[in-house]
Structure formats: structure tokens, C-alpha cells
Amino acid sequence: MMFDKLKTGKLVLDVSVPIPEKFLNLLWKENVIIEKANRIDITTIRLEIDYENYSEVEKVVKKCRGKVKIIHREGFIFVVSRMKKQISLIIGGVVFIGGLYLLSNQIWAVDISTKENIAPYEIRKELTELGVKPGISKGDINVYALEKKLEDINSNILWIRARIEGSTLKIVIEEKVTPPKLTNAHIGDCVAGMDGEIKRVYVNSGTAKVVSGDIVREGDVLISGIQGREGDEYQVPAKGTVIANTFYEKEMELQISGKKLERTGHIDNDVYLNICGRKIYLKKAINKFKYYDKIETNRGVINEVMYFQREEKEVNENKDEIVKKAANQLEESLLKSLTNDAKITNKEINVQDIEDGKVRIKVMFLVEQNIAMTPN
């Protein structure tokens, strides 16, 4: 019964039939209640009926070879009908707002700013051990407690500031500036040329001071230049190879969407004589370029200024492909700076969206290499 009440509604119709009187008689015969009936012209009648009788009216109009047009409708049934048409939009809007709310309450990027002695990878690893990583809820992070924990874990931190900005956890670290490290290294000892995690140790002469799994810092003694039994030691030049896992971080910014300025290949130039600080132009550039790069060449007396035209171009790159290509370029750049015996065993790619359609690509490389060196 309740559902039947919800289906109530009123319709105002304009019915055009050859003989309106015959049409009305047929309606009364079918027990269709007409609340109002007004004649518009010879063949047109305006009727007000209940929504539930509309199908009967349509049948009678067809019998009379006429036409029916809905002028006005009102009632709950029509409100429901309009809501049905917009339900997908409403649901989509609710889902979008709900999703946006949930996502805005989580951390999706961790931005770490350090100096020279602490690698961002090292801090990122410590954060992961503390359970802080992309996807964590903002409510689960107490930035002041986090600052204290990181200070306790890493003795090289002088001052740290952790703050949540939007969906990014930003960490700024000031490092302790300490005097040069005094080690127990003697002349002839092999020491670590950089920080790393020991993997394998091969000793040609001397005594190994580290084993696989040890974490060493730059300057730590790896192979001592002493051999022999206790009480019968003698000095030798320490020689050997110490393979360790080391870490390198490289980054690059690229544009994947929007507009960027690119050189078109069109060039204009000024050529002038520089005599006692005065410029005497032999050739003056027209330079109607809106955007350009300017390069000045100083050759003493005869000088030149080059103008390279640049124009805005639409950029629409595939993000996955551009990230993969950039990571490979960074890897190639790193390989050029490494020795031939070093090899990259793993890499971790972190992509961060920044303004104006740009992305910042950070790649952490795990490199296995010999870190043993003999200080001069």
C-alpha cells in the first residue's frame, strides 16, 4: 500500500483527435477519471488526469488516431524518476568525495632533505623500520615523537624537523659537523673508502678486521697491516679486496604534461667590436623571438651574442615509459663514475609529482664494489 501511494502523480495533457467528443466518451467508458477538461481548439483538449491512468489514455488516443503531449507533471513519482536518472552522478560524487577524503588523510610521499654525510636512503630505511612509509594515515604519525626517535637512532643528526604538508611528510635534517675522524689505522692498513655493508673479504697480506654483514664507515680499518701470532706480530703492507654494498642516489626532473619551451633551430646573432668598453655593432640581430636562449661569446675585440629561438610545445608523455627511460639514463650516468669491478645489483625508483606537469624521479642504487683503500 505504501508503494502505491509513492506512485501517485498528476499529468496535464494536450490531446489532438479528429472528434474530441468521441474521445471523451471512450475515456468515460474505460472509467478514466478526468479532473479538468478545457477545449483549446476544434481538435485539441487539455486534460488533467492521474498518472496511473496515463496508459489507458494513450490506448484511447491511438484508437482515435490522435496525438498526446504532456504539458505538465507533478507528484512524488516524477521526483523519484528524476532521481533515478541522476543516481549514477550522485553515487559517483559521493564515492569521489569519500575517496578524496580518505586519500587526503594519508601520507603518499616522504621528502627527505639532508646534507653530505647522511644519505636520504639511510633515513628512509630507518623510517620504514619505524612503520612510516607511503600509505600510512596522518593520524598515526606524531611528528615530534618521530623527530625524537630518529635522533636516538642516528647519532649523526644534529637537528631534525618533521612536518606534514598536504599528503607529503617533509623531513629536514642538519648533520653534526665533527672534526676529522681519528682511527686506529696505521701506515700500511687498508681502510674503507666509503660507507657500506661488508659482503666478502679477501686478504692477500695482513689481518682482516671485518666480516660479512658488518656496517663500516669511511676511514674504518678493514685489513690491518699486522700478521703473526699474539706476542710475535710483525708489520706487513695490508693488501686485499673488501667487497661491500654501497648506496648512491641520483635524481632527475622531467615534464610529462602541459607546456614546455623547446628550441626551434632558428638562430639570430649580434656581432660587435669592443673598443675601450664601447660596442660598435657590425651586425645587429632583429630578434623578434618571444622566448629565446642568449649565449654571449667574448673573444676580446670581436664578440658575438647568439639568440636561440624557443617556442611553447604541448607535452603529453607516457609516465611509465618516461620514468623507465630516466632511470636507465641515471644508471648509465652512475656507471661512468664507477670502477670497472663495481656492479649495480639493485635499484629503487621513487616518482614524485610536482607542479606544472613535472615529475621528480629519484633512484637509489645498490652497488657492490671494492671499498678497500690504502691511505697515503
Side-chain angles (χ1 to χ4, degrees):
M1 292 295 185
M2 176 62 86
F3 185 73
D4 290 339
K5 290 182 179 179
L6 296 178
K7 292 176 66 176
T8 58
K10 297 288 185 181
L11 289 174
V12 177
L13 311 175
D14 275 0
V15 179
S16 297
V17 291
I19 307 174
E21 292 79 7
K22 179 182 177 182
F23 168 72
L24 292 174
N25 288 332
L26 289 173
L27 287 181
W28 290 325
K29 186 177 180 181
E30 295 294 335
N31 295 319
V32 175
I33 299 173
I34 301 173
E35 297 191 9
K36 294 180 182 177
N38 296 315
R39 194 156 192 158
I40 304 301
D41 54 39
I42 297 174
T43 59
T44 305
I45 301 175
R46 180 164 293 174
L47 308 175
E48 183 177 328
I49 62 169
D50 291 331
Y51 169 75
E52 59 186 12
N53 293 325
Y54 180 68
S55 59
E56 293 296 332
V57 172
E58 272 192 317
K59 291 177 183 178
V60 175
V61 170
K62 287 181 181 179
K63 286 182 181 179
C64 296
R65 297 181 181 179
K67 295 181 181 179
V68 62
K69 181 180 179 182
I70 299 174
I71 303 301
H72 179 70
R73 63 190 80 190
E74 63 181 28
F76 188 76
I77 185 65
F78 301 110
V79 175
V80 173
S81 178
R82 285 192 293 270
M83 289 178 65
K84 282 182 179 179
K85 293 178 182 178
Q86 298 177 1
I87 193 70
S88 59
L89 183 61
I90 295 171
I91 292 174
V94 171
V95 171
F96 174 76
I97 294 171
L100 196 63
Y101 174 76
L102 292 174
L103 293 175
S104 66
N105 282 295
Q106 292 178 303
I107 296 295
W108 293 110
V110 180
D111 187 12
I112 301 171
S113 176
T114 61
K115 299 295 183 183
E116 296 178 356
N117 300 320
I118 301 177
Y121 176 83
E122 186 179 347
I123 301 300
R124 202 178 300 277
K125 187 176 179 182
E126 291 168 357
L127 287 172
T128 302
E129 291 173 355
L130 293 173
V132 179
K133 53 188 176 181
I136 188 173
S137 173
K138 292 180 183 178
D140 294 337
I141 299 178
N142 183 326
V143 291
Y144 303 107
L146 182 62
E147 291 172 352
K148 183 68 171 65
K149 288 177 182 178
L150 287 174
E151 285 180 346
D152 293 340
I153 292 173
N154 198 317
S155 59
N156 289 323
I157 295 176
L158 173 66
W159 172 84
I160 182 172
R161 180 180 182 273
R163 293 293 183 270
I164 296 173
E165 297 181 11
S167 295
T168 301
L169 174 62
K170 291 195 174 182
I171 295 178
V172 180
I173 292 176
E174 284 291 337
E175 304 166 2
K176 290 181 179 178
V177 179
T178 56
K181 184 179 179 182
L182 298 176
T183 68
N184 295 323
H186 298 88
I187 296 174
D189 288 347
C190 274
V191 299
M194 61 190 304
D195 299 351
E197 179 187 0
I198 303 299
K199 296 294 289 182
R200 298 181 296 279
V201 181
Y202 305 99
V203 179
N204 296 330
S205 65
T207 304
K209 292 296 183 179
V210 292
V211 296
S212 177
D214 286 351
I215 304 296
V216 296
R217 298 287 183 182
E218 182 181 358
D220 288 351
V221 177
L222 304 178
I223 303 174
S224 173
I226 297 176
Q227 264 184 209
R229 296 180 180 179
E230 187 176 353
D232 191 23
E233 298 97 343
Y234 56 94
Q235 287 190 344
V236 295
K239 293 181 181 179
T241 301
V242 181
I243 305 299
N245 281 336
T246 57
F247 304 96
Y248 295 83
E249 186 175 74
K250 284 183 171 288
E251 65 178 64
M252 180 186 294
E253 287 188 9
L254 293 171
Q255 187 152 6
I256 60 173
S257 63
K259 293 182 178 181
K260 72 175 182 179
L261 293 173
E262 289 186 353
R263 288 189 181 182
T264 63
H266 296 140
I267 303 172
D268 205 348
N269 66 332
D270 294 332
V271 180
Y272 63 91
L273 300 176
N274 189 349
I275 301 175
C276 298
R278 298 187 64 183
K279 294 180 180 181
I280 302 174
Y281 283 92
L282 304 177
K283 179 183 180 299
K284 185 70 174 175
I286 299 173
N287 191 12
K288 292 183 178 180
F289 305 150
K290 183 177 180 181
Y291 304 106
Y292 57 87
D293 290 330
K294 178 181 176 181
I295 299 176
E296 187 165 353
T297 305
N298 191 339
R299 300 193 183 98
V301 178
I302 301 178
N303 301 286
E304 185 179 20
V305 180
M306 305 284 290
Y307 301 95
F308 298 86
Q309 185 185 29
R310 302 175 72 193
E311 287 186 351
E312 286 187 337
K313 291 189 177 180
E314 287 290 338
V315 179
N316 187 15
E317 301 283 355
N318 183 289
K319 187 175 181 179
D320 293 336
E321 290 181 1
I322 204 78
V323 168
K324 184 178 179 181
K325 184 177 179 181
N328 291 336
Q329 289 176 348
L330 292 174
E331 183 173 343
E332 289 174 4
S333 171
L334 176 62
L335 285 171
K336 290 178 181 178
S337 65
L338 297 175
T339 57
N340 292 332
D341 62 338
K343 62 178 181 179
I344 297 172
T345 58
N346 193 18
K347 61 183 177 183
E348 181 182 317
I349 303 173
N350 188 334
V351 182
Q352 180 183 359
D353 291 319
I354 51 180
E355 59 185 9
D356 299 328
K358 295 181 180 178
V359 293
R360 180 180 292 115
I361 301 165
K362 292 184 179 180
V363 184
M364 174 58 64
F365 296 96
L366 180 65
V367 179
E368 193 174 282
Q369 62 180 323
N370 178 23
I371 63 170
M373 61 173 288
T374 302
N376 296 325

